[in-house]
Amino acid sequence: MTKIIIVIFLVAIVTALMAGMVFLVKDDGDSKRTVRALTWRISLSLALITLLVIGYAAGWIQPHGVMPR
């Protein structure tokens, strides 16, 4: 379940980043859509990092890197 939530967050972050790029290219400069899209991306990134830290502290997720021999 946590992997699905992490993937959903990552997809939302990439979507907000792409939306910000599109608004940056297409808008005339009067709109605040670019700033709003990038603010969403930063907020989602911070929420994901917070979720990962809480999940690690609560024992819901465990790191499994390559251990040196």
Side-chain angles (χ1 to χ4, degrees):
M1 185 66 175
T2 53
K3 289 181 183 179
I4 294 171
I5 293 171
I6 292 170
V7 169
I8 289 171
F9 264 95
L10 290 174
V11 168
I13 290 167
V14 170
T15 302
L17 184 62
M18 288 193 293
M21 182 186 66
V22 168
F23 295 149
L24 182 66
V25 171
K26 299 267 181 177
D27 284 348
D28 296 331
D30 300 343
S31 177
K32 297 206 183 277
R33 294 192 306 176
T34 303
V35 174
R36 196 174 305 127
L38 295 178
T39 302
W40 268 102
R41 184 190 66 83
I42 292 170
S43 301
L44 287 169
S45 297
L46 289 174
L48 178 61
I49 291 169
T50 304
L51 177 73
L52 290 174
V53 169
I54 290 171
Y56 176 72
W60 298 332
I61 56 175
Q62 297 294 325
H64 60 280
V66 177
M67 301 297 291
R69 293 182 182 187

